[in-house]
Amino acid sequence: MKGGLGANVRGYKQTVSKFEEQIKRAEADTSEVNDDIDKIRREFDAAKQRFLEIPEALKAMPKMNPEGIYVNRGIRLDLIQVYGFDYDFTLVHYSANLQCLIYDLAKEHMVNEFKYPEVCMSFKYDPSFPIRGLYYDRQHGCLLKLDFFGSIEPEGCFYGHRQLSEKEIEEIYGTRHIGRDQARHLVGLMDFFCFSEACLIADIVQYFVDAKLEFDACYIYEDVNRAILHVHQSGPVITLSKDVKGEGKKIFLLTNSPYYFVDGGMQFLLEDSMDSRDSWRELFDVVIAKANKPGFYTSEHPFRCYDAEKDTLAFTKVDKFLKNKIYYHGSLKSFLQITKWNGPEVIYFGDHLFSDLRGPSKAGWRTAAIIHELENEIRIQNEDRYRFEQSSVAFVFNELLGRLHATVPSSKRSEAYKLLMYELNEERQKARSTMKRMFNTSFGATFLTDKGQESAFSYHIHQYADVYTSRPENFLFYSPETWLHAPCDIKIMPHHVKIRHNLPLAHLPDPFGGCAPSILSKVAAVAATPASRYRSGFPDIGTTITVVFR
């Protein structure tokens, strides 16, 4: 009995000893976690002090060229023999007032022809609301901004003009990621007309919601799209054309616009530079109007010769293209059979990633996307203020948040942890909001999400554009023998600059990401441009070798 009691006492003492050891280990772990939290807190406070003003190293970083050519897949211009152009918003640029005019004419058409309520006539175009690259959900009536992987931006979903919360987004879609079935209901707003189109869609949805009227979101899109299409159908050009033709190369115009629309625009554009009314057609080896892109690339429709004087189509078969003639309809298959122009020797310029460039890209043509917003977005990204927010806040606090999550297990998250987590999240959100408002108050940047990742629009540029730039005439700054090289790091859009979060703590990084000087000098020699064409303040080879900071 005594022996049994002694054994029990010894067992009890051993249990107490193990419990005490566990308590000591727990206290040691807690102390270690608290030390880690204190360390991250000190780094956070130190970072805020360091970034009270813009660091000199940040100011010294090179700037990207707003008028540069940015490369997804390398192109040797000396191998390009044929240059093709879309017309609207590619070869010809329009003033900002055009969007307002398109919007007003489209809403009038919807009221007069589609019998929409008269109150729609009071709607006003809001240039601050839309950006290019949005999606409209024909099932739910939402305008969406998607990221590179097809997920909805947390602050990029609007029902009418009301921004939906993350909770509302999940109630509608189940998750922020758009699945294959949901994607079938989405339509991309990708060309220059998309600004007035997105704004009119939002205005009409908002009207029906406010008036508590039932509506089918699909019908609204179809009606607005038809109205915009109805409106659409109702200097640098000469220089670029002569440069191209002076090298013995071919040039053609391929547009969905009717001839009278193209003719009026080209005459106005070139009235001080050409001798006669019709001489603009001499700039092109082939002129094709009403091509019905993107169907042009997959159909087998025949070409028809168009008589501009009689406004009629000829019945004779088109088996060759003649100078100063206008051709309607047709297909890529017939075009290649007639011209014998091989795919890789043709480059086509267009502003709509789907209608203009997806077909040529799949058919083997080289493609150049014309994105007018690129100039403004690059200028904003070049600003010290933008890079300051990007470097001093977004990246620093993203890293500290990640370390805090990884360091502190969920069972040991104290009040100190919660407070630091809250402060880091607040600073990160303020930085994102600041950068977003620099582009567009509703949807932010065209190419980037609020988190600094690529948007779905960027994804499609990766898919369908070998190169992209703001205007076709930017090619005038390059020799016809230039090799346009894709950058070494293609994980981001070539015109974006990665900024190290610890830039102020270190020397300015190698602006060429460690590329050998000998390689750079060779590329610079190939891609060199005349001094008269060089824009000071931008790297001379910044468009062929992207400046990437790792």
Side-chain angles (χ1 to χ4, degrees):
M1 183 70 179
K2 289 182 180 179
L5 179 61
N8 287 340
V9 170
R10 285 194 300 273
Y12 173 75
K13 287 182 178 180
Q14 290 174 352
T15 301
V16 169
S17 178
K18 289 181 180 178
F19 182 66
E20 289 174 345
E21 288 178 6
Q22 289 174 352
I23 291 176
K24 289 180 180 178
R25 281 198 299 268
E27 289 175 346
D29 290 343
T30 300
S31 176
E32 185 177 343
V33 167
N34 289 335
D35 288 344
D36 289 335
I37 293 175
D38 288 341
K39 181 180 179 182
I40 294 174
R41 159 66 70 183
R42 289 194 298 272
E43 289 186 44
F44 176 45
D45 292 338
K48 287 192 290 186
Q49 289 298 316
R50 284 196 304 271
F51 290 109
L52 288 176
E53 58 184 39
I54 299 174
E56 291 301 317
L58 197 63
K59 295 179 181 179
M61 290 178 60
K63 300 182 185 300
M64 304 306 290
N65 186 352
E67 297 174 333
I69 298 171
Y70 294 92
V71 188
N72 290 324
R73 286 169 290 279
I75 291 180
R76 286 180 54 178
L77 295 185
D78 61 329
L79 298 182
I80 300 295
Q81 300 301 316
V82 183
Y83 286 74
F85 297 91
D86 180 39
Y87 176 72
D88 289 304
F89 314 108
T90 299
L91 199 58
V92 176
H93 314 309
Y94 299 99
S95 70
N97 294 331
L98 180 65
Q99 290 296 340
C100 186
L101 177 61
I102 293 171
Y103 177 93
D104 288 341
L105 293 175
K107 77 181 181 186
E108 288 177 13
H109 188 76
M110 294 185 70
V111 172
N112 297 332
E113 300 298 326
F114 303 157
K115 307 308 177 187
Y116 272 67
E118 191 71 26
V119 69
C120 294
M121 293 297 292
S122 64
F123 295 166
K124 301 293 184 183
Y125 175 65
D126 180 6
S128 68
F129 176 69
I131 62 172
R132 192 198 300 252
L134 299 177
Y135 287 82
Y136 178 68
D137 184 346
R138 291 174 292 184
Q139 182 178 27
H140 298 107
C142 297
L143 279 171
L144 310 172
K145 181 180 179 182
L146 305 182
D147 66 16
F148 198 87
F149 301 101
S151 294
I152 303 170
E153 274 280 86
E155 297 182 358
C157 180
F158 282 74
Y159 189 58
H161 283 278
R162 185 174 72 86
Q163 185 185 80
L164 300 187
S165 66
E166 289 192 56
K167 182 179 179 181
E168 289 175 308
I169 293 173
E170 291 185 2
E171 287 175 353
I172 295 173
Y173 296 99
T175 174
R176 286 200 298 112
H177 183 74
I178 295 295
R180 182 175 298 177
D181 291 338
Q182 293 169 322
R184 294 192 181 99
H185 299 289
L186 302 187
V187 57
L189 307 179
M190 297 290 169
D191 63 3
F192 194 77
F193 288 103
C194 74
F195 298 101
S196 48
E197 188 174 10
C199 196
L200 189 53
I201 286 173
D203 287 341
I204 292 175
V205 169
Q206 192 65 56
Y207 165 76
F208 279 112
V209 170
D210 292 342
K212 295 181 172 56
L213 299 174
E214 292 187 5
F215 65 96
D216 189 315
C218 184
Y219 293 159
I220 288 180
Y221 169 74
E222 290 178 355
D223 290 344
V224 170
N225 186 256
R226 285 164 57 202
I228 295 286
L229 185 61
H230 170 78
V231 173
H232 180 205
Q233 293 178 339
S234 23
V237 177
I238 290 181
T239 306
L240 181 61
S241 175
K242 287 183 177 178
D243 272 21
V244 170
K245 295 178 75 67
E247 297 293 325
K249 301 184 180 185
K250 303 295 184 181
I251 182 170
F252 68 91
L253 183 67
L254 175 66
T255 175
N256 284 352
S257 297
Y259 172 72
Y260 70 83
F261 185 84
V262 177
D263 184 50
M266 293 296 283
Q267 286 189 42
F268 173 79
L269 188 68
L270 307 176
E271 61 181 348
D272 297 328
S273 307
M274 305 297 286
D275 298 329
S276 64
R277 285 173 49 87
D278 298 330
S279 56
W280 68 264
R281 295 190 310 212
E282 297 174 2
L283 299 173
F284 301 95
D285 294 281
V286 182
V287 176
I288 301 168
K290 296 197 76 170
N292 191 35
K293 294 175 293 181
F296 177 87
Y297 301 112
T298 55
S299 73
E300 296 193 10
H301 292 159
F303 284 101
R304 303 283 297 275
C305 189
Y306 175 72
D307 188 326
E309 297 292 332
K310 300 178 181 177
D311 190 26
T312 58
L313 295 174
F315 293 96
T316 54
K317 182 179 179 180
V318 176
D319 52 13
K320 62 181 177 179
F321 293 128
L322 303 176
K323 291 279 290 186
N324 285 315
K325 294 291 185 180
I326 307 300
Y327 299 93
Y328 268 25
H329 311 315
S331 66
L332 176 64
K333 181 179 179 180
S334 297
F335 183 83
L336 297 178
Q337 288 175 345
I338 294 172
T339 61
K340 310 300 185 195
W341 293 338
N342 295 320
E345 69 180 8
V346 181
I347 186 170
Y348 185 68
F349 294 73
D351 72 301
H352 196 299
L353 298 179
F354 296 157
S355 295
D356 290 333
L357 303 183
R358 178 162 55 186
S361 177
K362 292 182 177 181
W365 285 3
R366 310 311 301 269
T367 52
I370 303 302
I371 312 296
H372 297 291
E373 303 93 300
L374 182 65
E375 286 188 21
N376 184 57
E377 295 215 355
I378 288 179
R379 288 192 174 99
I380 291 173
Q381 291 176 20
N382 281 341
E383 292 179 12
D384 289 342
R385 177 167 156 249
Y386 177 86
R387 293 184 174 187
F388 171 78
E389 295 291 345
Q390 186 183 16
S391 176
S392 67
V393 185
F395 284 90
V396 170
F397 302 130
N398 277 347
E399 174 170 314
L400 294 181
L401 274 168
R403 283 171 52 193
L404 191 59
H405 274 296
T407 300
V408 184
S410 57
S411 60
K412 301 184 185 302
R413 293 181 176 175
S414 61
E415 286 302 316
Y417 165 87
K418 293 176 182 177
L419 179 61
L420 181 55
M421 179 65 70
Y422 174 79
E423 290 183 38
L424 286 169
N425 271 317
E426 281 289 296
E427 290 290 345
R428 182 174 64 170
Q429 189 56 42
K430 280 197 298 185
R432 288 176 177 174
S433 297
T434 298
M435 289 188 287
K436 174 181 178 177
R437 288 194 300 271
M438 294 177 72
F439 296 98
N440 176 281
T441 55
S442 299
F443 294 100
T446 302
F447 296 88
L448 292 172
T449 67
D450 296 349
K451 296 180 180 180
Q453 300 167 339
E454 285 89 351
S455 64
F457 183 71
S458 293
Y459 171 77
H460 294 306
I461 291 179
H462 270 297
Q463 278 188 305
Y464 304 128
D466 293 317
V467 299
Y468 61 99
T469 188
S470 61
R471 303 166 185 271
E473 52 264 37
N474 292 339
F475 275 74
L476 293 173
F477 300 112
Y478 294 81
S479 161
E481 305 300 314
T482 299
W483 292 18
L484 298 174
H485 291 267
C488 304
D489 186 350
I490 201 65
K491 295 175 183 176
I492 58 174
M493 297 302 292
H495 72 276
H496 291 158
V497 176
K498 272 186 180 177
I499 299 179
R500 288 173 48 181
H501 71 273
N502 61 344
L503 182 63
L505 306 179
H507 295 295
L508 187 67
D510 174 11
F512 296 105
C515 293
S518 59
I519 297 176
L520 288 174
S521 61
K522 292 177 182 177
V523 175
V526 174
T529 57
S532 62
R533 292 181 174 181
Y534 172 66
R535 279 164 167 66
S536 62
F538 301 109
D540 192 31
I541 57 173
T543 52
T544 53
I545 291 294
T546 301
V547 182
V548 178
F549 292 85
R550 295 184 175 88

